[in-house]
Each structure stands twice: as structure tokens, then as C-alpha cells.
């Protein structure tokens, strides 16, 4: 109940333009500003520096140029161009060629065909350079269209693209089976959006139980699954399951968000597991930031402390 309320509250605040304007002004202004806890920076240079630091610590990286829910084709086109620049900058920088994208940033809510074309441009730019492109999963209303676009791109022969499934959604267990049969690389997450009971588990225990079921399926039948969670109980369950079923540590990876559970990231790495960090950057960091607060309302405390310190 508290989980649902907290997500609803922060998702509501995320749509408040006044708070967004204030946060955008102060949240990244200084090296100690609160936004920097979860976001690598507003510029490409800051993102690449963060990616290099992650790689220096022997973790892998996926870069995410923040932005979502564009409402005009011009904005979707601009976002696509920014992604093409990102691809070129990553190649020039020498950091790992792995990015995460959101379809609502590329026109999903406006026109499906244009969005598909935009993703295709990014895939085509990345293919000769060995990129892997992960399509993030957004609110449940966008899932059918996201899967449809993915299928179109897959049918056109793209294999350097993967998807995300959310254990909160009832449909994800079936989606995991269908996509695994195709050989699709899946990132499994719990789900960051507030969803209604008609489509999603409402209790954390049910979301966690579904995560473990899908995780075991992907470990057995999937193609190099990415288990994206900071939940130590679930992580331990994954490793026990893999060991019991003789699934090597090179056949799956853990993924975590920049700035969250750094202790767990380093201890997994020290134990010989693969760990990839999701490194978000860009000026449009506010909705992403609010989802992180919604996951853990205790984070509000660190925001307030950072604001007081920065004054
Ligand atoms: C690499 C990656 C990619 C993701 N991509 C997507 C996506 O495409 N679509 C989507 O819907 N969701 C995505 N998510 C978010 C995900 O759905 C969850 O909302 C988020 O990971 C929190 O859930 P959890 O599995 O860590 O478990 P929880 O049960 O929420 O948390 C477990 C523990 O992790 C720590 N923790 C979790 N969140 C925070 C936080 N915000 N601040 C501080 N500590 C925290 C706490 O110690 C907590 O006890 C992604 C997550 C990761 C790690």
C-alpha cells in the first residue's frame, strides 16, 4: 500500500512544472547538488567521464541520454539526432558501446511508424561499431506498442537490440517465454511506474515473487539475461539458482543504477559476478530523478540535506 502511495505521490510531483523548474535550476548547479546523486551530469563530457570511472572500477556501462514523453515530431527528431551524436561520441571516446533508449523520447506517443524509423536510424548507426541498444520499458500503456516496434526491428534482422520486462506486470511472464524463444536478450526489472491492479501486482511481495520466477526462467532458457535490481535477497537467490543449475557467471549479468547500492555493486564484482551500471545524463533528468525518490522516500532526506548544505 505504502509502495503504491509513494509511487503515486512522486509521479504526481514529477508532472509539476514549478517544482521541475526549481529542481532543474538548483539540482545540478554544484558538484554536491542533489541531482548528482543519481545522474552523472547534464553534459556528454560529464557522462563519458562517469563511464570511464565506472570502467576503471571494472564494471560495465550503459549510457542513457535522459528525456521522455516528447509531444512533437520535431522533438522526436531532435532526440534521435542527439542519440546519433552520442553513438559517434562513444565510438570516439573508447567507452563500451552500449546505450539504453526510451521510445517515448523518439516519438512513441505521437506516431508509431516515425518512432520505428527513429530507432532504426540509431540501430543502423550503431551496428558497424558493435553497439548493443537496450529499449527501456515505460508505463504499461506503452508496452504493446513497444513490443510491436521491437518485433518489426527484430524481423528486419536487428540482433543488437534488447528489451526490458517488468515483473510487476502480469503479462511479463508470458512475454519472457515468447521473447526467450526468439533469442531476445532481456533485462528484467521490477517496474518503476505506478500501474493499476488490472495489469499489475500491487504488493511488493507479489512483484518480488514474480521477479524470482521470471529470473529463474531467464537463467535457464534466456539469452544472456540482465538481472536489474538492487535487492540483495533476489540477487542471492539468482546466484544460488545459477550455481545449483551449473549456469556460469559469464552467462548473465547484474545491472544497477548509477549511485544506488554502491556497496552491493562492489561486493558482487569482488565475488566475480558481472555488473553493469546504468549511467543516465542530460538536462531532462527530473522525471527520472523523481522515480528514484518514489522507489525510496527516505531519499528525500538526502535531497533536503544537500539543499541545506548548498545554500
Ligand atoms: C539497470 C536498471 C535499468 C532499469 N530500467 C527500467 C526500465 O526500463 N523500466 C522500468 O520500469 N524500470 C526500470 N528500472 C527500475 C526498476 O524497475 C526499479 O524501479 C528499481 O530498480 C528499484 O527496484 P529494485 O529492484 O532495486 O528493488 P527494491 O525492492 O525497490 O529495492 C531493493 C533495495 O535497493 C535499494 N534501492 C532501490 N531503489 C533505490 C533508490 N531509488 N534509492 C536508494 N536505494 C534504492 C534499497 O536498498 C532497497 O532496499 C531499472 C533498474 C535498473 C537497476
Amino acid at each position: 500500500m505504502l509502495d503504491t502511495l509513494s509511487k503515486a505521490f512522486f509521479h504526481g510531483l514529477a508532472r509539476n512544472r514549478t517544482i521541475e523548474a526549481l529542481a532543474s535550476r538548483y539540482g545540478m548547479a554544484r558538484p554536491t547538488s542533489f541531482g548528482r546523486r543519481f545522474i552523472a551530469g547534464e553534459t556528454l563530457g560529464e557522462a563519458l567521464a562517469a563511464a570511464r570511472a565506472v570502467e576503471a572500477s571494472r564494471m560495465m556501462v550503459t549510457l542513457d541520454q535522459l528525456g521522455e514523453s516528447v509531444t512533437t515530431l520535431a522533438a522526436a527528431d531532435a532526440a534521435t539526432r542527439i542519440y546519433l551524436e552520442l553513438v559517434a561520441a562513444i565510438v570516439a571516446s573508447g567507452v563500451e558501446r552500449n546505450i539504453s533508449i526510451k521510445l517515448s523520447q523518439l516519438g512513441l506517443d505521437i506516431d508509431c511508424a516515425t518512432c520505428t524509423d527513429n530507432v532504426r536510424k540509431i540501430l543502423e548507426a550503431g551496428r558497424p561499431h558493435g553497439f548493443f541498444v537496450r529499449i527501456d520499458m515505460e508505463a504499461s500503456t506503452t508496452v504493446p506498442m513497444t513490443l510491436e516496434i521491437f518485433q518489426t526491428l527484430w524481423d528486419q534482422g536487428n540482433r543488437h537490440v534488447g528489451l526490458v520486462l517488468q515483473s510487476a506486470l502480469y503479462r511479463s511472464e508470458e512475454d519472457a517465454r515468447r521473447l526467450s524463444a526468439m533469442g531476445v536478450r532481456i533485462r528484467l526489472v521490477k517496474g518503476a511506474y505506478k500501474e493499476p491492479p488490472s495489469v499489475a501486482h500491487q504488493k511488493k511481495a507479489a512483484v518480488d515473487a514474480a521477479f524470482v520466477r521470471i529470473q529463474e526462467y531467464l537463467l535457464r532458457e534466456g539469452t544472456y539475461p540482465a538481472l536489474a535490481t538492487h535487492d540483495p535477497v533476489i540477487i542471492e537467490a539468482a546466484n544460488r539458482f545459477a550455481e545449483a543449475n551449473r549456469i556460469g557467471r559469464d552467462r548473465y549479468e547484474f545491472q544497477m543504477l548509477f549511485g544506488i547500492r554502491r556497496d552491493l555493486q562492489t561486493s558482487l564484482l569482488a565475488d566475480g559476478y558481472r555488473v553493469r551500471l546504468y549511467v543516465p545524463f542530460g538536462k531532462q533528468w527530473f522525471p527520472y530523478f523523481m522515480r528514484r525518490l518514489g522507489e525510496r522516500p527516505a531519499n528525500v532526506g538526502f535531497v533536503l540535506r544537500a539543499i541545506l548544505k548548498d545554500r
Side-chain angles (χ1 to χ4, degrees):
M1 179 71 176
L2 189 66
D3 308 327
T4 316
L5 274 181
S6 133
K7 270 191 186 174
F9 178 67
F10 285 98
H11 282 240
L13 284 188
R15 286 192 291 273
N16 185 307
R17 295 286 165 233
T18 312
I19 296 181
E20 176 165 10
L22 276 173
S24 303
R25 189 152 166 207
Y26 297 110
M28 289 286 205
R30 300 180 196 191
T32 53
S33 298
F34 60 86
R36 294 186 185 273
R37 164 79 184 260
F38 298 138
I39 290 110
E42 291 191 330
T43 66
L44 182 55
E46 286 173 306
L48 292 174
R52 284 198 195 92
V54 169
E55 291 191 335
S57 68
R58 291 187 299 111
M59 282 186 265
M60 300 173 290
V61 73
T62 181
L63 278 167
D64 169 41
Q65 164 85 44
L66 290 166
E68 52 199 87
S69 304
V70 303
T71 51
T72 64
L73 288 178
D77 186 48
T80 308
R81 274 187 277 112
I82 288 175
Y83 262 107
L84 297 177
E85 285 165 23
L86 176 64
V87 165
I90 289 176
V91 172
S93 74
V95 304
E96 191 183 348
R97 297 164 183 194
N98 191 310
I99 56 175
S100 294
I101 63 175
K102 282 194 172 42
L103 296 194
S104 73
Q105 191 180 8
L106 300 169
L108 182 70
D109 303 331
I110 314 163
D111 178 50
C112 182
T114 307
C115 181
T116 311
D117 282 346
N118 288 341
V119 183
R120 190 183 297 114
K121 283 179 196 158
I122 296 169
L123 291 179
E124 282 172 3
R127 186 189 292 118
H129 302 292
F131 268 76
F132 182 74
V133 179
R134 179 82 63 179
I135 298 178
D136 284 355
M137 196 59 90
E138 302 178 68
S140 63
T141 46
T142 68
V143 173
M145 200 67 95
T146 302
L147 290 171
E148 205 175 293
I149 291 176
F150 179 84
Q151 187 73 50
T152 302
L153 295 164
W154 186 266
D155 291 346
Q156 289 167 352
N158 292 290
R159 295 293 179 270
H160 57 310
V161 57
L163 261 185
V164 176
L165 293 180
Q166 301 154 322
S167 73
L169 300 188
Y170 306 134
R171 61 171 298 158
S172 292
E173 298 195 40
E174 182 48 38
D175 287 337
R177 276 190 281 277
R178 192 176 57 76
L179 293 164
S180 291
M182 290 162 54
V184 177
R185 277 171 62 174
I186 293 170
R187 173 202 292 154
L188 180 62
V189 302
K190 290 188 186 178
Y193 299 83
K194 172 168 164 34
E195 303 290 357
S198 53
V199 298
H201 301 289
Q202 301 295 300
K203 290 201 162 59
K204 179 171 160 43
V207 176
D208 290 357
F211 193 109
V212 172
R213 282 195 302 275
I214 302 174
Q215 162 171 286
E216 292 184 352
Y217 183 81
L218 293 178
L219 283 168
R220 259 189 294 112
E221 309 288 342
T223 304
Y224 191 67
L227 309 172
T229 179
H230 315 89
D231 188 328
V233 176
I234 287 184
I235 289 172
E236 209 192 309
N239 290 335
R240 260 189 280 113
F241 182 85
E243 206 166 310
N245 290 277
R246 297 173 195 271
I247 297 163
R249 291 175 189 187
D250 57 344
R251 285 181 44 206
Y252 63 104
E253 69 181 36
F254 291 107
Q255 294 190 355
M256 296 191 202
L257 300 176
F258 179 82
I260 296 184
R261 290 301 309 258
R262 282 171 276 211
D263 56 334
L264 197 52
Q265 296 165 11
T266 44
S267 74
L268 278 169
L269 195 69
D271 289 342
Y273 294 101
R274 293 185 171 203
V275 182
R276 183 181 302 280
L277 283 204
Y278 183 102
V279 177
F281 74 99
K283 286 198 183 307
Q284 291 170 40
W285 50 268
F286 185 68
Y288 174 90
F289 181 80
M290 293 307 274
R291 283 198 291 279
R292 303 294 76 86
L293 292 193
E295 282 154 4
R296 192 161 177 267
N299 285 336
V300 173
F302 95 75
V303 172
L304 293 177
R305 280 193 299 279
I307 291 173
L308 288 173
K309 234 195 269 167
D310 269 6
R311 283 178 62 196

